[in-house]
Amino acid sequence: MKRGLLLFVLLCCGFAAKSQTEKGKLLFGASTSFGLGEANTPMTIGFSSSELKFEDGSTVEVKNSNIYFAPKVGYFILDNLALGLNLAASFSNGETTQAVIEVENKSNLFAIGPFARYYFTGDKIRPFTELSSLFGLRNEKNQVGTVTTDNKYSLTSISGGLGMAVLLGERSSLDFMASYNSFKLRESEDSFINRQKTIGIKLGFTFFIR
């Protein structure tokens, strides 16, 4: 009797886990990224403060902060396989002070692009792999005293990673993913191109809706 009850419970758990990612369901999520390399890139959340001291006694103080947020919506075209769209937004502030000279930097980024996520089998923990790309614009404003300059960049990003979804119930999960991201910023009025590659951790929530 106990063995039969245990088997029934395990079957129910397995069915519930599978039903979250079955064909025809919708996926809604949001995440942010923490970089393990350069802390303050447009595609990660980070805060830093540093001070440089020179032999003549002068100092340079640098402060940076960046907030990154990426919601998504997807549809399971097959059991365990979801396709959809990623959105991304980031806002950053920087300040560099040397003697009486102060340089302020502010920027924002908005992007959109496709993603594909595949879930592997599991009960309370579902491993998954994800590939995505983003295309968007970054606006940057620099101010030195009373002089202000504006720069605009186009963004192209490709990323992928392996993660695990910790199921919080029948309709939601907490997601952790080790990711690799390669992105390119191209200045719209110049030939300047900035390429960056980061390895980091993505943390997010996902909701499953029929």
Side-chain angles (χ1 to χ4, degrees):
M1 180 66 180
K2 291 183 178 180
R3 290 182 180 178
L5 181 60
L6 178 61
L7 180 60
F8 176 76
V9 171
L10 291 175
L11 288 174
C12 289
C13 290
F15 177 78
K18 180 181 178 181
S19 66
Q20 290 178 319
T21 60
E22 68 183 4
K23 179 180 177 181
K25 282 207 168 183
L26 293 174
L27 177 157
F28 292 93
S31 65
T32 191
S33 298
F34 300 86
L36 300 181
E38 188 176 349
N40 290 297
T41 70
M43 309 297 287
T44 62
I45 185 171
F47 306 90
S48 67
S49 178
S50 61
E51 182 180 72
L52 303 175
K53 292 185 178 181
F54 299 95
E55 293 183 355
D56 61 1
S58 62
T59 62
V60 177
E61 295 182 356
V62 181
K63 297 179 181 180
N64 288 291
S65 64
N66 192 76
I67 297 175
Y68 178 72
F69 178 68
K72 67 176 56 182
V73 57
Y75 177 79
F76 284 92
I77 62 170
L78 298 172
D79 287 350
N80 302 321
L81 176 61
L83 302 180
L85 284 177
N86 268 323
L87 302 175
S90 73
F91 305 90
S92 65
N93 289 282
E95 183 178 299
T96 302
T97 304
Q98 182 177 13
V100 295
I101 300 176
E102 186 173 286
V103 179
E104 294 184 359
N105 173 278
K106 295 183 179 181
S107 66
N108 58 68
L109 180 149
F110 299 97
I112 187 171
F115 80 90
R117 176 181 288 192
Y118 182 81
Y119 286 89
F120 298 96
T121 57
D123 293 330
K124 293 298 183 180
I125 297 178
R126 301 288 303 274
F128 65 86
T129 183
E130 182 175 302
L131 295 174
S132 65
S133 62
L134 287 168
F135 307 92
L137 296 173
R138 186 188 191 199
N139 300 307
E140 184 179 282
K141 178 180 289 186
N142 296 285
Q143 183 171 342
V144 183
T146 58
V147 179
T148 301
T149 59
D150 294 303
N151 297 298
K152 297 182 182 296
Y153 302 86
S154 61
L155 168 76
T156 303
S157 169
I158 298 176
S159 63
L162 296 173
M164 61 179 183
V166 181
L167 303 182
L168 303 178
E170 295 184 359
R171 296 185 178 180
S172 62
S173 69
L174 177 62
D175 301 336
F176 301 89
M177 184 171 73
S179 66
Y180 171 82
N181 184 28
S182 175
F183 66 92
K184 177 175 66 176
L185 291 170
R186 181 190 295 271
E187 191 170 7
S188 58
E189 298 181 358
D190 202 344
S191 59
F192 173 78
I193 296 176
N194 180 9
R195 288 186 172 90
Q196 296 188 37
K197 299 177 182 179
T198 60
I199 296 175
I201 301 295
K202 286 187 176 182
L203 174 63
F205 287 95
T206 299
F207 299 92
F208 307 95
I209 301 174
R210 179 177 289 281

